[in-house]
């Protein structure tokens, strides 16, 4: 019994010695953390999504405190978090433009042609490895849902063969952009309501064969834009967000509906006005031709 007690007592003494030694070592070799990092971490949302370009919120907090990252680097936190972090750092936050992801393709199962029927594992990366996917359009959304699987905010879903972003849920974490093998997902300002949802650089006649809603590079949008906000380059129209006023004229002129808008009623009214003007012009031309004919007959 005495031997057992002695052994227990000895282990207790050894444990106490090691405990004291570790406590002293922790104080001697402690790395003092910048208290601003702790405060910034408390201000950040804690999603650890990586949209800021750093490994999680702690990585961003350390980078901000060291001056290696902007105080408005958290896409999820938005302006409110940017102002709080800026106050901690004693700087001006500035205005933060909220961005959201956009899938630049509308070629769903009803509008786009397929090269073959795919019956394998449903994942865009694997689908793309086999003849660049089953879509006839080389820039078409494959609908495999790789973007859906990586989105932690339930902000993107595949509907009828094409991925669609819910801009109210999207935090611009860029994970869907990084995983898309077709590189057809990008960022756009949250307030932007007009977008060319096509990524094909093929000639117009090729696009017409592959997809009924693709950009055919006709240039009607560019010629009719009152703000010089849209241009056709390399067979594809692109919008300059800084110039665009979301007037809808480009969408109304687009013969294939490749330009998506969040205000379809306004676009429809513009088209009705265009048709009325064309009808008036045709009637005037016809009346002029008839008057000229009668004048010729009178001679």
């Amino acid at each position: 019994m005495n031997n057992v007690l002695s052994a227990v007592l000895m282990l207790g003494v050894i444990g106490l010695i090691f405990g004291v030694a570790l406590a002293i070592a922790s104080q001697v070799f402690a790395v003092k953390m910048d208290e601003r990092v702790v405060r910034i971490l408390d201000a950040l949302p804690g999603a650890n999504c990586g949209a800021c370009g750093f490994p999680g919120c702690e990585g961003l907090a350390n980078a901000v405190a060291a001056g290696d990252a902007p105080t408005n680097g958290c896409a999820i936190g938005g302006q409110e978090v940017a102002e709080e972090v800026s106050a901690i750092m004693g700087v001006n936050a500035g205005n933060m433009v909220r961005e959201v992801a956009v899938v630049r393709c509308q070629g769903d199962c009803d509008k786009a042609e397929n090269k073959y029927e795919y019956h394998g594992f449903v994942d865009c990366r694997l689908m793309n490895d086999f003849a660049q996917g089953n879509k006839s359009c080389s820039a078409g959304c494959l609908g495999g849902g790789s973007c859906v699987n990586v989105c932690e905010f339930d902000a993107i879903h595949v509907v009828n063969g094409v991925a669609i972003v819910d801009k109210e849920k999207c935090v611009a974490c860029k994970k869907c952009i990084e995983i898309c093998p077709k590189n057809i997902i990008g960022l756009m300002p949250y307030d932007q309501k007009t977008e060319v949802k096509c990524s094909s650089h093929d000639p117009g006649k090729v696009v017409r064969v592959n997809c009924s809603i693709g950009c055919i590079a006709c240039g009607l949008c560019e010629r009719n834009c009152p703000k010089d906000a849209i241009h056709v380059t390399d067979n594809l129209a692109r919008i300059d967000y800084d110039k665009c006023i979301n007037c809808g004229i480009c969408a109304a002129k687009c013969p294939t509906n490749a330009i998506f808008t969040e205000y379809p009623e306004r676009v429809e009214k513009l088209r009705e006005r265009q048709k009325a003007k064309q009808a008036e012009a045709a009637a005037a031309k016809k009346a002029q031709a008839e008057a000229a004919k009668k004048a010729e007959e009178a001679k």
Side-chain angles (χ1 to χ4, degrees):
M1 189 67 179
N2 290 333
N3 292 336
V4 173
L5 291 174
S6 299
V8 171
L9 182 62
M10 184 176 294
L11 286 173
V13 171
I14 293 173
L16 179 62
I17 293 172
F18 275 109
V20 172
L22 288 173
I24 295 173
S26 66
Q27 294 295 323
V28 173
F29 299 105
V31 178
K32 189 176 181 180
M33 178 179 283
D34 190 335
E35 63 178 31
R36 295 177 302 176
V37 174
V38 178
R39 293 172 63 193
I40 293 171
L41 267 174
D42 290 338
L44 294 174
N48 294 309
C49 63
C52 57
F54 294 93
C57 293
E58 186 174 352
L60 176 60
N62 283 308
V64 171
D68 297 329
T71 55
N72 60 359
C74 179
I76 298 177
Q79 189 68 29
E80 184 179 347
V81 170
E83 290 177 358
E84 191 172 347
V85 174
S86 297
I88 295 170
M89 294 298 295
V91 297
N92 189 352
N95 292 325
M96 187 175 182
V97 178
R98 180 183 173 184
E99 292 184 310
V100 292
V102 55
V103 180
R104 296 191 175 102
C105 176
Q106 298 182 94
D108 59 25
C109 297
D110 300 323
K111 301 179 182 71
E113 298 294 326
N114 289 336
K115 293 181 290 187
Y116 56 85
E117 292 294 326
Y118 180 79
H119 299 288
F121 188 76
V122 182
D123 181 275
C124 294
R125 294 163 295 179
L126 294 176
M127 295 166 73
N128 191 57
D129 286 340
F130 187 74
Q132 295 186 324
N134 61 324
K135 285 282 180 72
S136 295
C137 175
S138 59
C141 175
L142 298 176
S146 297
C147 52
V148 178
N149 295 332
V150 298
C151 181
E152 299 176 14
F153 304 93
D154 191 39
I156 188 167
H157 297 92
V158 174
V159 180
N160 197 23
V162 171
I164 297 176
V165 175
D166 182 341
K167 66 186 299 184
E168 300 304 326
K169 294 181 178 180
C170 181
V171 298
C173 69
K174 302 179 184 178
K175 288 187 177 180
C176 57
I177 296 174
E178 294 167 358
I179 203 168
C180 178
K182 290 295 186 179
N183 298 314
I184 61 173
I185 307 179
L187 292 179
M188 63 181 280
Y190 172 84
D191 293 332
Q192 179 67 23
K193 301 182 185 302
T194 311
E195 180 61 271
V196 180
K197 284 197 173 182
C198 179
S199 300
S200 175
H201 292 281
D202 291 332
K205 60 181 180 180
V206 176
V207 173
R208 283 188 180 277
V209 172
N210 294 332
C211 181
S212 63
I213 200 169
C215 175
I216 58 174
C218 63
L220 283 172
C221 54
E222 182 175 353
R223 291 194 293 273
N224 287 278
C225 179
K227 296 295 182 180
D228 190 40
I230 187 167
H231 294 92
V232 177
T233 306
D234 193 16
N235 293 325
L236 183 62
R238 277 286 170 259
I239 294 175
D240 184 337
Y241 301 133
D242 293 329
K243 294 180 179 180
C244 180
I245 59 173
N246 294 302
C247 64
I249 294 176
C250 59
K253 291 289 184 179
C254 181
T256 63
N257 296 317
I259 303 177
F260 171 84
T261 67
E262 294 181 18
Y263 43 90
E265 297 84 3
R266 190 197 313 168
V267 173
E268 189 57 36
K269 287 181 180 179
L270 286 170
R271 286 176 176 157
E272 289 174 0
R273 290 176 189 171
Q274 291 172 15
K275 290 178 181 178
K277 287 182 179 179
Q278 290 171 354
E280 288 176 5
K285 187 176 181 180
K286 183 178 179 181
Q288 185 178 8
E290 289 177 352
K293 184 179 179 180
K294 288 180 179 180
E296 186 66 27
E297 291 174 351
K299 292 180 180 179

